[in-house]
Amino acid sequence: AWLLVKDRLPARLIFARFSQVILYWVTALLLIFYPDLGLFTSEIFSILFVLIILNLALNKGSVLRLKHPFLKKAGQTSYGIYMFHPVVIALVINMVTKYSTGNLFADNVLIYTAVVAMTLFISRLSYDHMEKRFLSMKNRYGKTRRSLGVQKHVLNQLRGK
């Protein structure tokens, strides 16, 4: 990223459609067929992933697009997913062990399905009924850049600067 910002790495080269396609194919093939490249595995994959992230974040003509309604909804509820999934996992495992069918495969399918469904459902409810209110309060009462500048000015005056 630093090389790109300092114009040491031409954006035209990284952001070109052909380069992107090659980058995605090389990364996928290496991950599938050569996940262990020896001594420099982490470094090689780090460079590939940095190039992918730069394309996704900065390139308006990126081959892959992350602006999708499903991903937007997932982004809105991601905090809830993060917060509620451990609780849901504990609840579901307790319920399934208490009322086990004795079939390990069926119990696992039930656990995974129930955890995903309940976590997404609770997270969406949390976002719609709690998080939106707090986000709107933040927008109403949160400090803006202007108010922060005023605070800095007032503090400087108080200090005699």
Side-chain angles (χ1 to χ4, degrees), residues 19-69:
S19 299
Q20 291 177 60
V21 171
I22 297 291
L23 173 66
Y24 296 134
W25 273 106
V26 166
T27 305
L29 291 173
L30 285 175
L31 282 170
I32 293 167
F33 296 111
Y34 302 103
D36 184 11
L37 298 170
L39 186 61
F40 297 107
T41 300
S42 296
E43 289 78 8
I44 291 169
F45 282 116
S46 295
I47 291 168
L48 292 171
F49 289 131
V50 162
L51 293 173
I52 290 171
I53 291 168
L54 285 171
N55 260 298
L56 291 172
L58 302 175
N59 186 0
K60 297 210 186 297
S62 178
V63 173
L64 296 178
R65 302 226 192 279
L66 295 180
K67 296 193 184 218
H68 188 276

Side-chain angles (χ1 to χ4, degrees), residues 132-150:
K132 274 185 182 178
R133 289 182 186 164
F134 286 106
L135 290 171
S136 69
M137 286 171 49
K138 178 193 81 165
N139 292 337
R140 240 182 306 163
Y141 302 115
K143 295 179 181 177
T144 62
R145 288 181 188 239
R146 184 166 183 252
S147 68
L148 291 174
V150 170

Side-chain angles (χ1 to χ4, degrees), residues 2 7 10 15 19 25 28 42 44 48 50-51 58 62 66 78 91 95 98 107-108 113 117 126 143 147 156 161:
W2 180 81
D7 289 329
F15 291 165
S19 299
W25 273 106
S42 296
I44 291 169
L48 292 171
V50 162
L51 293 173
L58 302 175
S62 178
L66 295 180
S78 63
L91 288 171
M95 295 290 286
K98 192 173 186 178
D107 287 348
N108 276 316
T113 305
S126 168
K143 295 179 181 177
S147 68
N156 286 337
K161 293 182 180 179

Side-chain angles (χ1 to χ4, degrees), residues 10 19 25 34 39 41 72-73 85-86 93 97 119 121 143:
S19 299
W25 273 106
Y34 302 103
L39 186 61
T41 300
K72 185 173 181 176
K73 292 270 189 205
H85 87 273
I93 288 176
T97 53
T119 301
F121 179 73
K143 295 179 181 177

